[in-house]
Amino acid sequence: MLVTAATMALGLLTGILVARTLGPDGRGALAAVLTTTQLLGWLFGMGCGKAVTYALSRDPAAGGRLLSTWTLMLIPVSAAAIAAGLFLLPTLLAAQPADTLGLARLYLPIIALALLSELMLGLLLGDQDFRTFNALNFIQPAGVAVAYLALWAAGRFTVESAVAAQAAMSALVLVAATARILRRHGIGRPDPALGRRTAWYALRTHGDVVGGVVTQRLDLLVIPAYLSAAQVGLYALATSLSWLIVSLSGALASVVMPAATRRGRSGRELVLASLQATFLVGGVLGGGLFVFADIAIHIVYGPAFAASALPLRLLLPGAVLYAAASILLNGLYAENRPFTATMAHLLGMAATMAGLLLFLRDGGILAAAAVSTVAYALVFLTAAALYRRATGLPWRAFLPDPPLLLSMPRRLLGRPLQAGAGGE
């Protein structure tokens, strides 16, 4: 959580710099380029990060074979993702200027780096190497912030230079993560049988990944096709601020899955304690931002972004619920229920798509914010019901247990128990 808070501070710094220097139009263009490529990377990622995390958590000796096997598997997937991006970009960025479309095309090869980075970070989580995982997740925004400041000081801060800085830091993090994995595991012989087993797990998680991406980011993906760059910029600011709640209060989600997997049945109390801590942190942060949204946006980003306050308030309740849902969904992964986890996000995806189709054109960014919050709430309610059904726990087990909350950091960092069996 401390690392996530520091990362959020860096994101706030770069967000202010982008808003003050580039204005709503520039922020909208930058969001359109980065978000489109990021979404394509997630959609074509095949769930490889979750699959290798689960496999390595169960078998710590499989790292080298997972690395070589999945690297070979991701090469054709990366090529397909880039080709799909070239085909889809004219439609996805239909309302944007020609130079924004051209820049997005140049940025598309970063999809390959994103897919390989997902693999490497998944292996780090499977190793329970949480310190390196956190360090790399901090280095990327820190490097971007330093690059943005240097470009601004030199008078060369533009949408194009900002995109180049993002690409450079993505490559640096991939190199660092790969070096760490190679030192720990080396390069093993590709293992087709292991590839088939983990690919089946990955495919069962991929519906959850795709549904999650659509639920989280479909609004930002669709809005550039209907609204002006200025409206995209206003909404991008509201979503980025609301996502601070998800990032910080849901910081435990990435740790919960590998830690609970290695503990087996005893990992369930860790999942529930993480859920309760997430609600506590999210409620405090979200409530404060809800009250002071107008003042904070005016002081930090300037009066040009004042219209972002109401969409932000609409997004905040859903952001807290979505952060909590991420804990429960990772708990389902630890129970070897990846397909069950998919159901929650598929329902959220359906609600998002239907809501945007019905209300976006007439309701604009306020409709997009309301639709997103409803979808986030649906994901949480479904995830809670599915986790209870998968574990057989009573509803009272979901209620706060202060002693367990206080002991959670020790439980996360202590010696794990042997993982249990079972699954779908």
Side-chain angles (χ1 to χ4, degrees), residues 35 50 70-71 80-81 90 101 157 179 251 254 276 359 370 381:
T35 301
K50 295 290 186 185
W70 270 96
T71 299
L101 176 60
F157 188 64
S254 59
Q276 294 148 10
F359 304 115
L381 293 173

Side-chain angles (χ1 to χ4, degrees), residues 42-298:
W42 283 340
L43 292 174
F44 280 85
M46 294 178 58
C48 70
K50 295 290 186 185
V52 299
T53 295
Y54 183 81
L56 193 55
S57 295
R58 298 294 296 268
D59 181 8
R65 290 178 290 130
L66 286 167
L67 172 62
S68 59
T69 302
W70 270 96
T71 299
L72 292 175
M73 292 168 64
L74 287 177
I75 291 174
V77 174
S78 299
I82 294 171
L86 290 173
F87 176 75
L88 292 172
L89 278 177
T91 301
L92 296 175
L93 302 181
Q96 305 308 305
D99 54 350
T100 300
L101 176 60
L103 183 60
R105 285 173 171 154
L106 290 175
Y107 191 64
L108 271 180
I110 296 298
I111 292 175
L113 299 186
L115 295 179
L116 289 172
S117 293
E118 183 181 354
L119 169 61
M120 301 306 168
L121 293 174
L123 290 170
L124 288 173
L125 285 173
D127 268 333
Q128 315 280 292
D129 190 0
F130 303 132
R131 291 182 176 84
T132 302
F133 177 83
N134 277 324
L136 292 177
N137 278 320
F138 176 76
I139 286 172
Q140 181 157 358
V144 169
V146 170
Y148 279 14
L149 287 171
L151 290 168
W152 173 75
R156 297 180 180 275
F157 188 64
T158 62
V159 174
E160 292 79 7
S161 63
V163 169
Q166 292 278 354
M169 288 310 303
S170 295
L172 178 62
V173 167
L174 174 60
V175 169
T178 303
R180 177 72 170 177
I181 294 298
L182 288 174
R183 283 197 299 271
R184 293 177 69 94
H185 298 284
I187 301 178
R189 183 186 297 274
D191 187 338
L194 179 63
R196 287 192 296 271
R197 290 197 305 272
T198 53
W200 173 233
Y201 186 96
L203 290 174
R204 287 184 292 156
T205 69
H206 195 49
D208 180 49
V209 174
V210 172
V213 169
V214 172
T215 303
Q216 297 169 27
R217 291 292 183 262
L218 184 63
D219 46 4
L220 277 176
L221 187 64
V222 171
I223 283 176
Y226 292 94
L227 304 179
S228 67
Q231 289 293 297
V232 176
L234 293 171
Y235 189 72
L237 177 62
T239 55
S240 65
L241 289 175
S242 69
W243 214 248
L244 295 177
I245 306 300
V246 179
S247 298
L248 184 57
S249 59
L252 289 171
S254 59
V255 175
V256 162
M257 188 270 212
T261 297
R262 192 160 291 187
R263 285 161 172 78
R265 288 185 177 275
S266 65
R268 293 173 180 174
E269 65 181 30
L270 185 149
V271 172
L272 295 177
S274 300
L275 173 67
Q276 294 148 10
T278 296
F279 264 123
L280 177 62
V281 175
V284 172
L285 293 175
L289 192 53
F290 188 94
V291 172
F292 297 107
D294 292 293
I295 298 173
I297 290 175
H298 182 83

